Structures are given as structure tokens and as C-alpha cells.
Amino acid sequence: MLSLALCLAPGAIAAGAAPQDLQDRAIEPPPPSETPLPDDPDQIQFSADTAEYDSDGDVVTVKGDVRMFRDGNRLRAAQVVWNRKTGAVVATGDIAVTNPEGDTAYGDRIELTDSLKDGVIENMLVVLEQGGRIAAQRGTRNAAGVISVDRAAYTPCAVVDSNNCPKEPSWKITAVRVVYDPAKQRIRYTGARVSLFGFATLPLPVFSHSVGAGNASGLLAPDIRYDAVNGFEVALPYFFALGPNRDLTIKPHIFSDTLPMLQGEYRQLLGKGAFRVTGYATFSSRADDFISPQPGVPDRSEFRGYLDATGRFQFDPYWQASASFRLASDRTFLRRYDISTDDRLRNNIRVERIDRDSYLAINGWAVQTLRLTESQGLQPIALPEVDYRRRFGQNLLPGGRFELQVNSLALTRTAGQDTQRAFASLRYDLRKLTSWGQELTLTAYGRGDLYNTNDTLATSVPSYRGLEGFRARAIGAVALDIKWPLIGEAFGGIQRITPRFQIVAAPRVENLDVPNEDARSVDLEDSNLFALNRFPGYDRFEDSTRFTFGLDYALYLPGFSVEANIGQSYRLSSRPSLLPDGTGLTDRVSDVVGRTVVRYRDFLTFNHRYRVDKDNLAIRRNELDATIGSRTTYATIGYLRLNRNIAFALEDLQDREEARVGGRVQVARFWSVFGSAVIDLTDREEDPASLNSGFEPVRHRIGVEYEDDCLRLGLTWKRDYQTAGDARRGNSYLLTLALKNLGR
């Protein structure tokens, strides 16, 4: 009764259906016939409450919930007059006609031929099976099913609210003339205009779109923005449906303060995979050879662009290949045109074979740096990288398993050190459970390495160079890992306490004889505390004997959980470690590391990772990530501080401090405000090369958005606080308008 009262509010319902009335009609569409149709498609099957026949005029008049069926077409009306001589069928009163495709036309009066396929409809409403509806004062349908209407309106949006009360659709198209072709599943307009919330806005003199489930060519939603570098921007994409499995989108960008840019994207689905290629091209000035524009230094005007291509192919259940290519013409193009904030572009091509017990990968890598202070000649090209692994011996001893690994890598630099590396390793793991519930894992590991290094003096950090020429190295280690999970009921849920202890013994390794290419960013974390080798790559291996001890804790309650771990290690050897000061592993006793994760239903997720200095309890790593709220209203907070006091020369291990905030608040049913910001908190004490004061915003974004099931409309203000060449700091504004379901 409440919803009925809401619907009966003043002005909610008109006395009758008006021209261009898109609301549902009271009559239900005609259901399929309950009895089989005649075999002769020219025969009409009908039912009604009463029937009259004028033998002189050969006119049949049927009244009272009339239903007529012929060749898949169905009609329902209060009264139908059928002139058998002329073949004219006139239906009046609560009319609904459904064609074989499922489209239903409603009207007050319909003049049809006896085929029920073509005719003239007054006060028409057509509800399309594919979604959407057309309303007009008068319309015609020919024998092919093509509907032509004048002074009409179309919308794919809902015309009732959550209380099932009539409402104005979020958007609709009104036009002088509308033609719908069901065979092509396309609607064409003449003299059209898009209306938002009932207000006429965008004129579209000639316009068309599809209403089918497949893809179709046509214009897409435009992008409108303003920024301090390029001025006003309008981008109007056009979508070309080249086939059921491939398409092309051309998107020209027009700017007020610089030359236009052309963007294109091609996508294709093949029998064994798919690929996508995106490209940007323009001709504009550039200044990427200095950090900020300098007076008297002229800009260079030349071709600028960007290529982004990805593909993946599955040849059979085991073999697959993938590729990803990203290449920019210069170092500031992506930032200037707000395409990406990445400072390195990685290119990769890979072939893989994966089965139950083996893995083979052949990779090629190349990196383009976009950092203004880095040399492209020092960026490595890895070609090829080959990695093969195989598990075997599972049946030799219950709980045991061997793993063989063979790996090779060739790194080449156009203006730096070159390295070739190959190794073979064998690892054996034996896992046992005792009668008291302890989990014991015994590991034995052996590896042989061969390196060849050239131009070592081109590497500025001595500990990364290694010795010139060929070098061989042998590595071995044994480890015993003990876990004792203690599980029981607690606090109305399940609690698990797991003490853990590990012993690793490894002979001394001459690490500095070989270069360090892949093990530079070493840092003690909860994720690598119990690793056999706590270096991230293969070029360095942690030797000597060490003991590692820790505690895992978990509590699971209905809708709530806590997971935490904490640990530390002790090394027997007193000789200096090759690990730099500040990594938490330099001395015999390591720093304390841990992590805590708290979850409450889908409302809260809190993750805290930390490293505490063993000597003075200073926090060397403090990382917080939290998300709180629902899908419509939420906040995200992130904070990271690395206070490791590592020498400035080791660029991979520099200290930094950063805060990230973001969120969205739903202020009404369809309205929300959102924002995000990244702030660099690094000061000169943490990074001697930093020019920041300790609170330097990097970028922020603030916006307001309306979104329902049919429309997304938003305005976003973004500010970039950093200047790099012609990618200057400043404000940009983006207007987003997406007409959902357009093309349905």
C-alpha cells in the first residue's frame, strides 16, 4: 500500500498515455498460443469472448480479450475488426502486438494487414526484446518488420523506480524521425537530441546505434577534459565492428593549446588466443632532457607517440605463449597526455610449457626508462632467460620430493656491464608429521653456477660488479624447519598458535666474485624470514649457519579474524656479512619482523608490516594498509616508511616515506563524491638527494559522480605537483559522460 501511495503522488500519473510516453502500458503482452498453430501459415488462429460475422460485408468482429496468432506474430486487443475482403485488421483498446523476435508494440489503435506483420499504430510504444523502448504518437511497420515513427523518443533505461512507480528515464533520445530495422538490429535517428533527466542537451542531427547483443560500428561516449599543458581536450572515439571476433577503435583527441593526437586500438580473438594493440601518435614540442623547462632553451617539435601491445596464445593444454610490448617516443609523453604515470616500460615475450611435474619458460626482457636522470644505456636487455624445473621422486620416500632446476640468463647493456649466467640446482624436501602434531621439513640444496662478466667498471657500485671474465661457484645448504600448530576453541571461535623454529647451515660462498644483477633489493621481511635464501634473486646466497625462530597466531570468529606472525634470526658466524647495514640482517642477531592482518566481514581489512631494530627498537619498516567501508562508501589508507639508514650509493635500498589516502562517500542513492591523494613524506635526512621539505604532495584527485543502471556522469579535478620536462605540474579537469546500455 505504501508503494501505491507513493505512485499516486500529485503529478505521478497522467490521465492517459501521451505522445512519446515511454511508460509501461497496463496491458500484458500476448502469450504464445496454448494450442498448436495451423499448419497453413496463411490461416489465423484467434480467441475472444464474443464474435460477430457480417456475411454481407464479409467482416468479422471479435471482442473481449481478443488474441490472434499467425506465423509467429501475436496480437492482443479489446476489439478487432477484420475485413476479409480487403485483408484489413483494425484493433482498438489495450493493444499489444509481438513479433517472432520478441519485440512488443503497444498502442491505442492499430491498422494491420491480415498477416499481422505490417500496419499503422497510434500512440505507439515498442518494447524491444534486446532492451530499450520506442514511443511515438504514430508509427508504421512494414512486412519486413521495419518500424518507422515520427516525433518519437527512445531509451534503454528503467522507466520505474525501486517502488515500481513511473519515473523519468535517466536519459533518452528524442527525434523528428526514428527507424528501427529488426533484421539489422539497428535504430537510426533524424533530428535527434539526447536528454538527461528530462532536459535537452546534446544535439545529434544524424545518429544511429545497434540494439543487438553483438557488436556494431558507431560513435562511443566522448571524453572532455582540461589541463594546464594541453588546454581543453575533446576526444570522440568511433568503434568499427570488423567482425564477430575483431574490432578497431579510432579516437582523435583535439586540444586547444597543442596539435591533435590520434589514438587507435585494435583487438582480435583467434582460435588459440587473443591480442590487443593500442597506439598514440602526434606531432608536438618536447623537453625531456632536463627536469624543468629552462629559459632560453628551445623546445623540439617532432613526432611523439606510444605503443602498447599484449597477446596470449594457448596452443595445447601444455604450451602457451604471451607477449607485452610498451614503447614511448620520449620520457615525458605518457605524463604530458595523462596516459600513465609509469617511470619504466617493461617489454616481455615468453613461451611456457606447464604440466603436472615440470615447468619450462623461455623469456626475453627489455626495459625503457622514463626517468629523466637515468641512462637508457644502463638498462639491461635479458635475452634469453631460460628456466626449467622438474619435480620427481615423490614415491621414493613418503613425504619426500626432488626438484631439479636449470637456469640461464644473458644480460646485455648498450653502455654498461654485460653478464651471462647459468646454473643447475637440485633440492630435496622431506616433510613428516609426528605423533604429537609437529610438522618437520628437512631440506637439502646444492647448486653449481657459471658466470661470465664484461665491462665491470661501468657499474658504479663495487659490490654489484663481480670479477671480470669467467667465474664458477658452488653452493650448498641443509635446513630443518619445525612447526607445532596448537589449535583449539577460544573466545567463541577457533584459535591457532604455531611456534616455528628453523636451522639453516651453508658453507661460505664467495658472493663478491660474481656480479649482483637480481639480488640487490634485499630487506628482511616476514615473507622471507624463513626462506632458505633471503636474497630476492640468484646472484647472492646467504651462507653460514643461522637459527630462525618465530610465532604464528590466528583467531577466527564469526565474521572476524586476526592473523599475525613475528620472528627473528641468529647467525653463528661472527665475520662481517655481505648484507649492507640497515637491511636487518647485517649483525649476528637480526632485527624483529612481523605482520598483523585484521578482517571484519567485508567492512574492514587492516594490514600492518613492520621491522624493529634489535638494538634501539627503532622502527625500520612501518607499512600500513587499511580499507574500511562498504562497496558504495569506503576509505583506503596507506602509509610506508623505510628508515634503514643505508648508504646513498645503493639506489635499490633507499629510504623513503609516503602516505596514500582515498575514498568514496555515497551522499544519495545515485550520487557520490570521491578522492585520493599521494603525499611524499621523504625529507633530506632520509634521502640526501631529495629536495622535499618532508611533506610534498605528488598528485591528488577529487570528484563527484552520478551513476545508476543507465547513466554515469561525473566531474573530476586532478592536480599533479611534479614537473618533468614538458609534463608540467598543474590542474586538469575531466568530464565523464557514459550513456550505459546504448547499443542494447
Side-chain angles (χ1 to χ4, degrees), residues 426-448:
L426 184 64
R427 175 171 175 158
Y428 179 72
D429 291 293
L430 177 63
R431 178 178 176 269
K432 291 291 186 180
L433 295 177
T434 70
S435 58
W436 283 20
Q438 294 98 338
E439 179 183 346
L440 306 179
T441 302
L442 176 64
T443 300
Y445 181 77
R447 196 176 93 195

PDB file of all heavy atoms in Angstrom, residues 426-448:
ATOM      1  N   LEU A 426      69.710 -28.799  -7.438  1.00  0.00           N
ATOM      2  CA  LEU A 426      68.880 -29.925  -7.030  1.00  0.00           C
ATOM      3  C   LEU A 426      68.486 -29.713  -5.579  1.00  0.00           C
ATOM      4  O   LEU A 426      69.338 -29.450  -4.722  1.00  0.00           O
ATOM      5  CB  LEU A 426      69.633 -31.242  -7.184  1.00  0.00           C
ATOM      6  CG  LEU A 426      68.830 -32.506  -6.869  1.00  0.00           C
ATOM      7  CD1 LEU A 426      67.675 -32.673  -7.856  1.00  0.00           C
ATOM      8  CD2 LEU A 426      69.735 -33.738  -6.894  1.00  0.00           C
ATOM      9  N   ARG A 427      67.184 -29.818  -5.327  1.00  0.00           N
ATOM     10  CA  ARG A 427      66.654 -29.608  -3.981  1.00  0.00           C
ATOM     11  C   ARG A 427      65.820 -30.816  -3.581  1.00  0.00           C
ATOM     12  O   ARG A 427      65.036 -31.332  -4.388  1.00  0.00           O
ATOM     13  CB  ARG A 427      65.805 -28.329  -3.930  1.00  0.00           C
ATOM     14  CG  ARG A 427      65.119 -28.092  -2.590  1.00  0.00           C
ATOM     15  CD  ARG A 427      64.498 -26.731  -2.536  1.00  0.00           C
ATOM     16  NE  ARG A 427      63.737 -26.526  -1.292  1.00  0.00           N
ATOM     17  CZ  ARG A 427      63.444 -25.343  -0.766  1.00  0.00           C
ATOM     18  NH1 ARG A 427      63.859 -24.242  -1.389  1.00  0.00           N
ATOM     19  NH2 ARG A 427      62.755 -25.248   0.349  1.00  0.00           N
ATOM     20  N   TYR A 428      65.999 -31.216  -2.313  1.00  0.00           N
ATOM     21  CA  TYR A 428      65.212 -32.336  -1.784  1.00  0.00           C
ATOM     22  C   TYR A 428      64.500 -31.867  -0.523  1.00  0.00           C
ATOM     23  O   TYR A 428      65.114 -31.311   0.399  1.00  0.00           O
ATOM     24  CB  TYR A 428      66.101 -33.526  -1.456  1.00  0.00           C
ATOM     25  CG  TYR A 428      65.328 -34.695  -0.874  1.00  0.00           C
ATOM     26  CD1 TYR A 428      64.496 -35.454  -1.672  1.00  0.00           C
ATOM     27  CD2 TYR A 428      65.431 -35.011   0.484  1.00  0.00           C
ATOM     28  CE1 TYR A 428      63.777 -36.521  -1.147  1.00  0.00           C
ATOM     29  CE2 TYR A 428      64.714 -36.073   1.013  1.00  0.00           C
ATOM     30  CZ  TYR A 428      63.882 -36.830   0.190  1.00  0.00           C
ATOM     31  OH  TYR A 428      63.170 -37.876   0.724  1.00  0.00           O
ATOM     32  N   ASP A 429      63.175 -32.065  -0.478  1.00  0.00           N
ATOM     33  CA  ASP A 429      62.354 -31.727   0.685  1.00  0.00           C
ATOM     34  C   ASP A 429      61.674 -32.987   1.196  1.00  0.00           C
ATOM     35  O   ASP A 429      61.048 -33.732   0.421  1.00  0.00           O
ATOM     36  CB  ASP A 429      61.285 -30.687   0.320  1.00  0.00           C
ATOM     37  CG  ASP A 429      61.878 -29.330   0.021  1.00  0.00           C
ATOM     38  OD1 ASP A 429      62.421 -28.705   0.934  1.00  0.00           O
ATOM     39  OD2 ASP A 429      61.795 -28.894  -1.151  1.00  0.00           O
ATOM     40  N   LEU A 430      61.791 -33.210   2.498  1.00  0.00           N
ATOM     41  CA  LEU A 430      61.147 -34.350   3.159  1.00  0.00           C
ATOM     42  C   LEU A 430      60.280 -33.802   4.278  1.00  0.00           C
ATOM     43  O   LEU A 430      60.777 -33.163   5.218  1.00  0.00           O
ATOM     44  CB  LEU A 430      62.183 -35.315   3.723  1.00  0.00           C
ATOM     45  CG  LEU A 430      61.629 -36.508   4.504  1.00  0.00           C
ATOM     46  CD1 LEU A 430      60.771 -37.400   3.596  1.00  0.00           C
ATOM     47  CD2 LEU A 430      62.769 -37.306   5.141  1.00  0.00           C
ATOM     48  N   ARG A 431      58.973 -34.025   4.177  1.00  0.00           N
ATOM     49  CA  ARG A 431      58.022 -33.489   5.153  1.00  0.00           C
ATOM     50  C   ARG A 431      57.402 -34.640   5.932  1.00  0.00           C
ATOM     51  O   ARG A 431      56.907 -35.604   5.347  1.00  0.00           O
ATOM     52  CB  ARG A 431      56.935 -32.681   4.449  1.00  0.00           C
ATOM     53  CG  ARG A 431      55.864 -32.105   5.365  1.00  0.00           C
ATOM     54  CD  ARG A 431      54.874 -31.273   4.562  1.00  0.00           C
ATOM     55  NE  ARG A 431      53.791 -30.792   5.391  1.00  0.00           N
ATOM     56  CZ  ARG A 431      52.638 -31.433   5.592  1.00  0.00           C
ATOM     57  NH1 ARG A 431      52.445 -32.620   5.007  1.00  0.00           N
ATOM     58  NH2 ARG A 431      51.693 -30.922   6.357  1.00  0.00           N
ATOM     59  N   LYS A 432      57.422 -34.535   7.276  1.00  0.00           N
ATOM     60  CA  LYS A 432      56.878 -35.560   8.159  1.00  0.00           C
ATOM     61  C   LYS A 432      56.034 -34.919   9.257  1.00  0.00           C
ATOM     62  O   LYS A 432      56.317 -33.808   9.704  1.00  0.00           O
ATOM     63  CB  LYS A 432      58.011 -36.366   8.804  1.00  0.00           C
ATOM     64  CG  LYS A 432      58.788 -37.254   7.846  1.00  0.00           C
ATOM     65  CD  LYS A 432      57.935 -38.411   7.344  1.00  0.00           C
ATOM     66  CE  LYS A 432      58.746 -39.368   6.499  1.00  0.00           C
ATOM     67  NZ  LYS A 432      57.922 -40.502   6.008  1.00  0.00           N
ATOM     68  N   LEU A 433      55.033 -35.656   9.682  1.00  0.00           N
ATOM     69  CA  LEU A 433      54.211 -35.265  10.822  1.00  0.00           C
ATOM     70  C   LEU A 433      54.443 -36.256  11.950  1.00  0.00           C
ATOM     71  O   LEU A 433      54.329 -37.470  11.757  1.00  0.00           O
ATOM     72  CB  LEU A 433      52.724 -35.237  10.443  1.00  0.00           C
ATOM     73  CG  LEU A 433      52.291 -34.206   9.411  1.00  0.00           C
ATOM     74  CD1 LEU A 433      50.806 -34.364   9.089  1.00  0.00           C
ATOM     75  CD2 LEU A 433      52.578 -32.793   9.906  1.00  0.00           C
ATOM     76  N   THR A 434      54.761 -35.733  13.155  1.00  0.00           N
ATOM     77  CA  THR A 434      54.995 -36.605  14.294  1.00  0.00           C
ATOM     78  C   THR A 434      53.673 -36.965  14.953  1.00  0.00           C
ATOM     79  O   THR A 434      52.617 -36.391  14.653  1.00  0.00           O
ATOM     80  CB  THR A 434      55.909 -35.916  15.314  1.00  0.00           C
ATOM     81  OG1 THR A 434      55.197 -34.837  15.937  1.00  0.00           O
ATOM     82  CG2 THR A 434      57.168 -35.380  14.639  1.00  0.00           C
ATOM     83  N   SER A 435      53.730 -37.909  15.862  1.00  0.00           N
ATOM     84  CA  SER A 435      52.513 -38.334  16.572  1.00  0.00           C
ATOM     85  C   SER A 435      51.972 -37.229  17.467  1.00  0.00           C
ATOM     86  O   SER A 435      50.802 -37.255  17.845  1.00  0.00           O
ATOM     87  CB  SER A 435      52.818 -39.588  17.405  1.00  0.00           C
ATOM     88  OG  SER A 435      53.876 -39.329  18.326  1.00  0.00           O
ATOM     89  N   TRP A 436      52.798 -36.240  17.831  1.00  0.00           N
ATOM     90  CA  TRP A 436      52.342 -35.118  18.659  1.00  0.00           C
ATOM     91  C   TRP A 436      51.855 -33.930  17.828  1.00  0.00           C
ATOM     92  O   TRP A 436      51.468 -32.918  18.389  1.00  0.00           O
ATOM     93  CB  TRP A 436      53.468 -34.668  19.587  1.00  0.00           C
ATOM     94  CG  TRP A 436      53.658 -35.580  20.767  1.00  0.00           C
ATOM     95  CD1 TRP A 436      53.248 -36.866  20.883  1.00  0.00           C
ATOM     96  CD2 TRP A 436      54.309 -35.243  21.988  1.00  0.00           C
ATOM     97  NE1 TRP A 436      53.592 -37.386  22.096  1.00  0.00           N
ATOM     98  CE2 TRP A 436      54.256 -36.398  22.804  1.00  0.00           C
ATOM     99  CE3 TRP A 436      54.949 -34.110  22.468  1.00  0.00           C
ATOM    100  CZ2 TRP A 436      54.794 -36.436  24.092  1.00  0.00           C
ATOM    101  CZ3 TRP A 436      55.495 -34.135  23.746  1.00  0.00           C
ATOM    102  CH2 TRP A 436      55.415 -35.294  24.549  1.00  0.00           C
ATOM    103  N   GLY A 437      51.934 -34.055  16.514  1.00  0.00           N
ATOM    104  CA  GLY A 437      51.410 -32.995  15.655  1.00  0.00           C
ATOM    105  C   GLY A 437      52.442 -32.022  15.132  1.00  0.00           C
ATOM    106  O   GLY A 437      52.075 -31.064  14.439  1.00  0.00           O
ATOM    107  N   GLN A 438      53.731 -32.237  15.425  1.00  0.00           N
ATOM    108  CA  GLN A 438      54.740 -31.344  14.865  1.00  0.00           C
ATOM    109  C   GLN A 438      54.928 -31.635  13.380  1.00  0.00           C
ATOM    110  O   GLN A 438      54.881 -32.795  12.956  1.00  0.00           O
ATOM    111  CB  GLN A 438      56.092 -31.486  15.577  1.00  0.00           C
ATOM    112  CG  GLN A 438      56.087 -31.041  17.016  1.00  0.00           C
ATOM    113  CD  GLN A 438      55.935 -32.218  17.962  1.00  0.00           C
ATOM    114  OE1 GLN A 438      55.435 -33.277  17.550  1.00  0.00           O
ATOM    115  NE2 GLN A 438      56.342 -32.051  19.206  1.00  0.00           N
ATOM    116  N   GLU A 439      55.167 -30.590  12.614  1.00  0.00           N
ATOM    117  CA  GLU A 439      55.456 -30.707  11.188  1.00  0.00           C
ATOM    118  C   GLU A 439      56.947 -30.474  10.987  1.00  0.00           C
ATOM    119  O   GLU A 439      57.459 -29.379  11.257  1.00  0.00           O
ATOM    120  CB  GLU A 439      54.647 -29.688  10.386  1.00  0.00           C
ATOM    121  CG  GLU A 439      54.915 -29.745   8.889  1.00  0.00           C
ATOM    122  CD  GLU A 439      54.158 -28.674   8.124  1.00  0.00           C
ATOM    123  OE1 GLU A 439      53.237 -28.056   8.704  1.00  0.00           O
ATOM    124  OE2 GLU A 439      54.512 -28.440   6.953  1.00  0.00           O
ATOM    125  N   LEU A 440      57.641 -31.489  10.512  1.00  0.00           N
ATOM    126  CA  LEU A 440      59.084 -31.421  10.310  1.00  0.00           C
ATOM    127  C   LEU A 440      59.366 -31.432   8.812  1.00  0.00           C
ATOM    128  O   LEU A 440      58.856 -32.279   8.075  1.00  0.00           O
ATOM    129  CB  LEU A 440      59.791 -32.604  10.964  1.00  0.00           C
ATOM    130  CG  LEU A 440      59.504 -32.858  12.457  1.00  0.00           C
ATOM    131  CD1 LEU A 440      60.270 -34.077  12.929  1.00  0.00           C
ATOM    132  CD2 LEU A 440      59.867 -31.632  13.283  1.00  0.00           C
ATOM    133  N   THR A 441      60.221 -30.497   8.378  1.00  0.00           N
ATOM    134  CA  THR A 441      60.620 -30.435   6.975  1.00  0.00           C
ATOM    135  C   THR A 441      62.139 -30.382   6.912  1.00  0.00           C
ATOM    136  O   THR A 441      62.764 -29.460   7.451  1.00  0.00           O
ATOM    137  CB  THR A 441      60.025 -29.209   6.273  1.00  0.00           C
ATOM    138  OG1 THR A 441      58.601 -29.239   6.377  1.00  0.00           O
ATOM    139  CG2 THR A 441      60.413 -29.204   4.799  1.00  0.00           C
ATOM    140  N   LEU A 442      62.721 -31.371   6.255  1.00  0.00           N
ATOM    141  CA  LEU A 442      64.167 -31.428   6.051  1.00  0.00           C
ATOM    142  C   LEU A 442      64.460 -31.085   4.598  1.00  0.00           C
ATOM    143  O   LEU A 442      63.860 -31.647   3.687  1.00  0.00           O
ATOM    144  CB  LEU A 442      64.697 -32.827   6.369  1.00  0.00           C
ATOM    145  CG  LEU A 442      66.195 -33.055   6.106  1.00  0.00           C
ATOM    146  CD1 LEU A 442      67.049 -32.179   7.019  1.00  0.00           C
ATOM    147  CD2 LEU A 442      66.542 -34.522   6.295  1.00  0.00           C
ATOM    148  N   THR A 443      65.385 -30.140   4.388  1.00  0.00           N
ATOM    149  CA  THR A 443      65.715 -29.663   3.053  1.00  0.00           C
ATOM    150  C   THR A 443      67.205 -29.784   2.818  1.00  0.00           C
ATOM    151  O   THR A 443      68.014 -29.398   3.676  1.00  0.00           O
ATOM    152  CB  THR A 443      65.280 -28.195   2.866  1.00  0.00           C
ATOM    153  OG1 THR A 443      63.875 -28.087   3.063  1.00  0.00           O
ATOM    154  CG2 THR A 443      65.632 -27.701   1.474  1.00  0.00           C
ATOM    155  N   ALA A 444      67.566 -30.301   1.655  1.00  0.00           N
ATOM    156  CA  ALA A 444      68.957 -30.334   1.206  1.00  0.00           C
ATOM    157  C   ALA A 444      69.021 -29.668  -0.158  1.00  0.00           C
ATOM    158  O   ALA A 444      68.185 -29.946  -1.043  1.00  0.00           O
ATOM    159  CB  ALA A 444      69.464 -31.764   1.132  1.00  0.00           C
ATOM    160  N   TYR A 445      70.024 -28.797  -0.344  1.00  0.00           N
ATOM    161  CA  TYR A 445      70.083 -27.990  -1.556  1.00  0.00           C
ATOM    162  C   TYR A 445      71.517 -27.904  -2.046  1.00  0.00           C
ATOM    163  O   TYR A 445      72.453 -27.679  -1.264  1.00  0.00           O
ATOM    164  CB  TYR A 445      69.553 -26.580  -1.264  1.00  0.00           C
ATOM    165  CG  TYR A 445      69.540 -25.645  -2.448  1.00  0.00           C
ATOM    166  CD1 TYR A 445      68.564 -25.745  -3.424  1.00  0.00           C
ATOM    167  CD2 TYR A 445      70.503 -24.647  -2.578  1.00  0.00           C
ATOM    168  CE1 TYR A 445      68.535 -24.881  -4.505  1.00  0.00           C
ATOM    169  CE2 TYR A 445      70.486 -23.772  -3.655  1.00  0.00           C
ATOM    170  CZ  TYR A 445      69.493 -23.897  -4.620  1.00  0.00           C
ATOM    171  OH  TYR A 445      69.470 -23.034  -5.686  1.00  0.00           O
ATOM    172  N   GLY A 446      71.701 -28.095  -3.349  1.00  0.00           N
ATOM    173  CA  GLY A 446      73.014 -27.957  -3.960  1.00  0.00           C
ATOM    174  C   GLY A 446      72.902 -27.285  -5.306  1.00  0.00           C
ATOM    175  O   GLY A 446      71.938 -27.520  -6.057  1.00  0.00           O
ATOM    176  N   ARG A 447      73.890 -26.437  -5.635  1.00  0.00           N
ATOM    177  CA  ARG A 447      73.821 -25.686  -6.884  1.00  0.00           C
ATOM    178  C   ARG A 447      75.219 -25.401  -7.403  1.00  0.00           C
ATOM    179  O   ARG A 447      76.151 -25.135  -6.622  1.00  0.00           O
ATOM    180  CB  ARG A 447      73.080 -24.370  -6.669  1.00  0.00           C
ATOM    181  CG  ARG A 447      72.619 -23.693  -7.942  1.00  0.00           C
ATOM    182  CD  ARG A 447      71.809 -22.453  -7.639  1.00  0.00           C
ATOM    183  NE  ARG A 447      72.655 -21.263  -7.612  1.00  0.00           N
ATOM    184  CZ  ARG A 447      72.287 -20.090  -7.107  1.00  0.00           C
ATOM    185  NH1 ARG A 447      71.098 -19.970  -6.518  1.00  0.00           N
ATOM    186  NH2 ARG A 447      73.092 -19.056  -7.142  1.00  0.00           N
ATOM    187  N   GLY A 448      75.379 -25.421  -8.716  1.00  0.00           N
ATOM    188  CA  GLY A 448      76.621 -25.044  -9.359  1.00  0.00           C
ATOM    189  C   GLY A 448      76.377 -23.920 -10.339  1.00  0.00           C
ATOM    190  O   GLY A 448      75.465 -24.004 -11.178  1.00  0.00           O
TER     191      GLY A 448
END
